[in-house]
Amino acid sequence: MITMLGIEVRRCLARRLVRWLILLALLGCGLAGVIGWREAGPAGTADELRLVELWGGDDPILGIAAFFLPAGAVVAGASMIGAEWRAGTFVMLMTWQPHRRRVATAKLLACGVVAAAVAIGLLVLFGAAFLPATLWGRGTTAGVDAAWFASLSGGMLRIAATTALAAMLMAAIAMIGRNTAAALGVAFGYLMLVENIVRAWKPWAGRFLLGENGAVFVTGADLETAAFTRSTLTAGLTLTGYVAMAAVISVALFQRRDIAAT
């Protein structure tokens, strides 16, 4: 299983779409640093860039990455499995590895592992992009202490975990639907229609929605406008439970379906 997981991880990283998404994210990190430098005023002024604004407060800078990383994972996760169905490579794969459950599990786990590792690397680079401004005359590191760094590290890990869960969820949906576009359509329809309807109809039911649980888990705090309270651990477990449920269903269907009938 470990060998197969390693193979699938390398296959994920070799995909052109994944590499393009990583390249776009790297360009975004550089652009964020340039904007931070240009918009920040000289140190000691009201417009100086404060490094502590990366994480903490009502509108942390890292919140930008917390949105785009899972969004990229949604596209990449769906494409990783959807492209396999479209290309018909599952048939060839079964000739040397007939254990379907092992194959499906390795593919889903590989999507999560790659998404988490890439997210951690990009988050570090995104934060580092603001260091030139804060260290060389256009900002300050005041307030940066062990407690803040621990909070930042926790936030980064939760964002990376959310990114991994998003990739695995979309990979599982694509494995069920055998199509990248179908998986993305289901995700968009659910988030834009179903969750908004539930949110407006039964506000208390927001505690069970992906959006609310994702926001609570990433920020580590209750939502100010929510009609309920939710701990960070409970939100994380809820998200993990949904992904696990989708993964179990996708693996079970993969075991029973006709692989050649794509």
Side-chain angles (χ1 to χ4, degrees), residues 43 89 113 134 149 161 253:
T89 53
V113 169
T134 57
F149 187 77
L253 289 176

Side-chain angles (χ1 to χ4, degrees), residues 4-159:
M4 187 178 298
L5 178 60
I7 292 172
E8 291 299 331
V9 166
R10 290 193 293 273
R11 291 186 68 193
C12 285
L13 292 173
R15 283 199 59 81
R16 186 176 301 175
L17 175 63
V18 173
R19 293 183 175 184
W20 273 109
L21 287 173
I22 293 174
L23 177 60
L24 287 175
L26 290 174
L27 292 175
C29 291
L31 180 62
V34 171
I35 293 174
W37 178 277
R38 289 179 58 86
E39 296 298 321
T45 66
D47 294 328
E48 68 176 359
L49 179 64
R50 302 176 66 239
L51 192 59
V52 292
E53 292 177 352
L54 268 179
W55 189 251
D58 295 331
D59 192 19
I61 298 175
L62 214 60
I64 301 172
F67 172 79
F68 283 105
L69 284 175
V74 163
V75 176
S79 175
M80 281 304 305
I81 303 300
E84 296 264 19
W85 285 114
R86 186 179 66 253
T89 53
F90 276 116
V91 177
M92 181 178 64
L93 183 59
M94 292 297 103
T95 62
W96 68 271
Q97 179 50 264
H99 300 286
R100 293 191 178 194
R101 182 171 60 184
R102 191 177 300 174
V103 169
T105 302
K107 288 184 177 295
L108 296 181
L109 288 177
C111 289
V113 169
V114 170
V118 170
I120 287 292
L122 290 174
L123 284 168
V124 171
L125 290 176
F126 185 79
F130 293 93
L131 287 177
T134 57
L135 295 178
W136 294 314
R138 301 184 71 84
T140 177
T141 58
V144 175
D145 52 20
W148 177 83
F149 187 77
S151 177
L152 173 67
S153 300
M156 285 185 170
L157 289 175
R158 292 195 301 275
I159 293 172

